[in-house]
């Protein structure tokens, strides 16, 4: 099997982001830029829009289960953009694909002005998304389903390339000298989760095994990881695919007396603290706040000015590998719910 290396890609992405940040800071330093930024902050603080466009209604429907902090961060970004753009923002979720599709149908019936949706289980979502597009409602997909987004009629997709993210994990595990890793999938049938583990397996020089758990039952997650660590002491890395599951893996490791490093996809306040203390090794951040914010903002731009970002390609928000060195700088952001 040919092993794909993504270090150059990550370096290039980092360089582009650095240039963009420098340009943004330079723009804000000018008198006009500062006035515009001050006006935006004042409007946000007062909970009022920074634009005078009509009060359109946008609905976001995700595959989130209950209690997943990742989706709280996505919503925080969407709500912030909605305030700025004078948008009435609605949110609904279901980890059952059929119910998620029905939620889309309900918003189509209500004739909302735009829909944001995840495609974790795309086959079950296709009819509902195409129905929305046929009804003249612009759709943007986020987080999962980049490969199906365009075919279903969405304007664009916002998120990370899950295969590339997985490849980055495999490379990081190699850099840390790991030899045998466990990839914990907490939602069976989620194409993005499969892509993450497959990507990691492709670039990891050691052995990687998949472990399927019931993500809606955290004690079961912990018990399943514990059993695996107890039965195979040679496992030296556990990779979870969501921030809430990292803590369960860390607890399983302690109970098992294992020395395996726990790493995770996604970032929240608890993960940032774990990275800072050394309880966790690294995290893969796909910037969920940006996914929510950009989705609302791009729908507003489409309604206002017929703008479409991405040129037919996904708008990437990650991956970024976060280690102990970066965790302290991001901790304040995680505590306010934006990283």
């Amino acid at each position: 099997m040919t092993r794909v290396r993504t270090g150059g890609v990550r370096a290039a992405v980092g360089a582009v982001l650095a240039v963009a940040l420098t340009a943004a800071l330079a723009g804000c330093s000018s008198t006009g830029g500062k006035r515009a930024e001050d006006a935006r902050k004042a409007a946000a603080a007062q909970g009022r829009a920074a634009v005078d466009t009509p009060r359109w209604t946008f609905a976001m429907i995700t595959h989130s289960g209950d209690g997943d902090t990742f989706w709280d961060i996505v919503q925080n970004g969407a709500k912030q953009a909605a305030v700025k753009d004078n948008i009435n923002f609605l949110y609904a979720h279901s980890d059952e694909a059929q119910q998620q599709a029905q939620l889309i149908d309900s918003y189509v019936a209500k004739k909302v002005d735009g829909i944001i949706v995840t495609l974790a289980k795309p086959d079950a979502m296709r009819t509902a998304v195409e129905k929305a597009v046929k009804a003249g409602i612009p759709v943007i997909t986020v987080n999962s389903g980049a490969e199906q987004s365009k075919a279903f009629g969405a304007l664009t997709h916002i998120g990370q390339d899950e295969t590339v993210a997985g490849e980055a994990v495999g490379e990081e595990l190699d850099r840390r000298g790991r030899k045998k890793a466990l990839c914990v999938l907490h939602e069976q049938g989620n194409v993005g989760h499969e892509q993450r583990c497959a990507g990691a397996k492709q670039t990891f020089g050691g052995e990687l095994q998949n472990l399927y758990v019931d993500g809606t039952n955290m004690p079961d997650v912990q018990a399943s990881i514990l059993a695996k660590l107890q039965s195979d002491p040679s496992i030296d890395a556990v990779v979870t695919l969501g921030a809430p599951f990292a803590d369960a893996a860390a607890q399983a490791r302690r109970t098992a007396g294992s020395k395996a490093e726990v790493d995770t996809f996604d970032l929240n306040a608890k993960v940032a603290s774990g990275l800072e203390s050394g309880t966790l090794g690294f995290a893969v951040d796909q910037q969920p706040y940006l996914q929510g914010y950009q989705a609302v903002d791009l729908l507003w731009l489409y309604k206002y000015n017929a703008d479409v970002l991405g040129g037919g390609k996904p708008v990437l928000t990650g991956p970024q590998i976060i280690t102990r060195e970066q965790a302290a700088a991001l901790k304040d952001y995680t505590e306010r719910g934006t990283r």
Side-chain angles (χ1 to χ4, degrees):
M1 178 182 293
T2 300
R3 295 178 63 200
V4 179
R5 291 289 174 183
T6 60
V9 174
R10 288 167 55 199
V13 170
V16 171
L17 290 174
V19 171
L21 178 59
T22 301
L25 290 175
C28 286
S29 66
S30 66
T31 302
K34 185 177 187 305
R35 276 201 294 262
E37 179 65 7
D38 289 345
R40 185 196 67 76
K41 288 180 178 178
Q46 297 171 27
R48 58 184 175 84
V51 297
D52 60 359
T53 47
R55 189 162 175 76
W56 293 309
T57 295
F58 295 164
M60 175 182 281
I61 309 99
T62 75
H63 63 276
S64 168
D66 293 328
D68 191 334
T69 55
F70 177 90
W71 295 104
D72 294 337
I73 301 171
V74 173
Q75 286 186 74
N76 287 342
K79 289 174 181 177
Q80 184 66 45
V83 170
K84 176 180 69 73
D85 293 339
N86 193 32
I87 298 300
N88 177 34
F89 177 72
L90 306 176
Y91 180 80
H93 67 95
S94 176
D95 55 7
E96 295 293 334
Q98 195 58 45
Q99 292 181 15
Q100 189 189 3
Q102 290 171 358
L103 288 168
I104 296 174
D105 289 340
S106 71
Y107 284 124
V108 171
K110 292 176 182 176
K111 299 181 180 180
V112 297
D113 300 294
I115 285 177
I116 302 160
V117 65
T118 63
L119 301 177
K121 298 173 181 175
D123 291 343
M125 304 298 295
R126 179 166 197 152
T127 299
V129 172
E130 289 179 340
K131 187 184 297 183
V133 173
K134 188 175 181 180
I137 300 173
V139 174
I140 286 180
T141 60
V142 298
N143 182 259
S144 52
E147 295 79 6
Q148 295 83 12
S149 177
K150 187 174 182 179
F152 289 9
L155 298 176
T156 194
H157 177 83
I158 303 170
Q160 72 179 0
D161 185 306
E162 302 289 18
T163 299
V164 171
E167 291 170 350
V169 167
E171 291 179 343
E172 186 67 17
L173 290 172
D174 275 346
R175 192 183 72 79
R176 292 166 175 267
R178 302 299 159 180
K179 302 301 180 184
K180 192 169 187 178
L182 197 63
C183 195
V184 184
L185 299 92
H186 60 267
E187 185 181 346
Q188 292 196 40
N190 185 319
V191 293
H193 291 183
E194 297 287 349
Q195 290 168 342
R196 290 177 183 181
C197 293
K201 189 171 186 177
Q202 187 168 348
T203 57
F204 181 39
E207 179 185 345
L208 185 141
Q209 300 176 1
N210 287 357
L211 176 66
Y212 293 90
V213 298
D214 180 3
T216 65
N217 185 341
M218 202 61 76
D220 176 74
V221 173
Q222 185 174 331
S224 297
I225 297 172
L226 172 61
K228 194 68 177 177
L229 291 176
Q230 288 176 329
S231 66
D232 189 352
S234 66
I235 294 173
D236 58 9
V238 178
V239 180
T240 62
L241 302 188
F245 305 96
D247 187 55
Q251 291 184 49
R253 175 189 59 193
R254 285 193 294 269
T255 303
S258 168
K259 294 183 179 180
E261 178 180 275
V262 175
D263 308 304
T264 190
F265 279 77
D266 303 333
L267 188 68
N268 62 15
K270 201 163 189 177
V271 168
S273 294
L275 291 171
E276 197 172 16
S277 68
T279 304
L280 304 178
F282 67 89
V284 185
D285 186 22
Q286 60 175 304
Q287 301 185 101
Y289 179 89
L290 192 57
Q291 292 179 15
Y293 191 99
Q294 285 287 80
V296 169
D297 219 25
L298 293 186
L299 274 180
W300 176 83
L301 283 167
Y302 181 78
K303 294 288 292 183
Y304 172 66
N305 205 44
D307 288 320
V308 179
L309 197 62
K313 301 293 184 181
V315 178
L316 299 182
T317 63
Q320 179 184 10
I321 299 292
I322 307 295
T323 63
R324 187 173 191 169
E325 288 72 23
Q326 296 88 39
L330 295 176
K331 192 171 181 180
D332 287 345
Y333 304 145
T334 62
E335 288 175 352
R336 76 181 184 190
T338 58
R339 287 296 292 264

